[in-house]
Amino acid sequence: MTTVEAPPVLQYGALVPVSVHFDDLDALGLLHNARYPLMVERAWTAYWEERGLRFEGDWDAAGDFCNAVKELRISYEAPVNRTGEYAVHLWLERLGNTGLTYGFRFCSPDGALTYAHGTRVLVRLDAATLRPTPWSDLLRTLGLELLRPQG
């Protein structure tokens, strides 16, 4: 009789399912390196939409979705060489007044195997001036649930 290990339990953040399709693969049959950030973006969009936050095409009303990427870092650990179901583990490393840093792992559906990981820095912008402006109280409240424990 063999024993099956239980999948790891997330200690912080959220695990969001994503799908890799045939057209996401490159000429070698691997998930194209530029698709990893796209998959992470799709996971964040799904995460926020489940909580009632969405961009509906109006930048003046976009609120927290009016933001710009300041920095993106990604490291590739193992190749994704087939289509199918995967997941993105999302969390916040830092939640500042006008900026935040989020962490991510592109991983197996259960979170056990990491294919890529990284961080992304966002700055919230005022739609009229394109200058940094504070995050809303709602994003701040939801964001606190995603903060990675320091230590």
Side-chain angles (χ1 to χ4, degrees):
M1 179 169 167
T2 60
T3 59
V4 177
E5 289 188 38
V9 175
L10 293 182
Q11 300 298 314
Y12 54 89
L15 197 61
V16 179
V18 295
S19 297
V20 171
H21 301 277
F22 179 77
D23 60 350
D24 294 319
L25 305 179
D26 63 15
L28 297 174
L30 303 174
L31 181 58
H32 191 280
N33 67 82
R35 293 294 195 172
Y36 288 84
L38 178 65
M39 298 286 177
V40 172
E41 188 71 25
R42 288 177 181 166
W44 274 114
T45 299
Y47 180 84
W48 293 124
E49 283 183 353
E50 286 177 4
R51 284 147 187 82
L53 298 172
R54 64 183 43 86
F55 173 68
E56 296 179 341
D58 178 0
W59 285 113
D60 290 326
D64 295 311
F65 287 99
C66 186
N67 60 64
V69 176
K70 182 176 178 182
E71 177 181 287
L72 172 66
R73 293 176 184 240
I74 187 168
S75 295
Y76 304 94
E77 303 298 330
V80 171
N81 59 5
R82 62 182 43 141
T83 61
E85 301 308 308
Y86 294 87
V88 178
H89 177 196
L90 305 170
W91 67 89
L92 292 182
E93 290 284 339
R94 183 187 69 78
L95 179 57
N97 187 41
T98 63
L100 62 79
T101 302
Y102 71 70
F104 63 88
R105 287 186 315 118
F106 188 88
C107 53
S108 57
D110 63 1
L113 177 61
T114 298
Y115 297 99
H117 61 90
T119 58
R120 187 171 172 184
V121 178
L122 295 179
V123 177
R124 176 154 189 246
L125 301 175
D126 178 277
T129 65
L130 297 181
R131 299 292 307 152
T133 194
W135 299 107
S136 71
D137 290 340
L138 177 58
L139 185 125
R140 218 168 252 302
T141 298
L142 294 171
L144 290 175
E145 297 171 7
L146 291 171
L147 274 176
R148 181 178 184 170
Q150 301 300 312

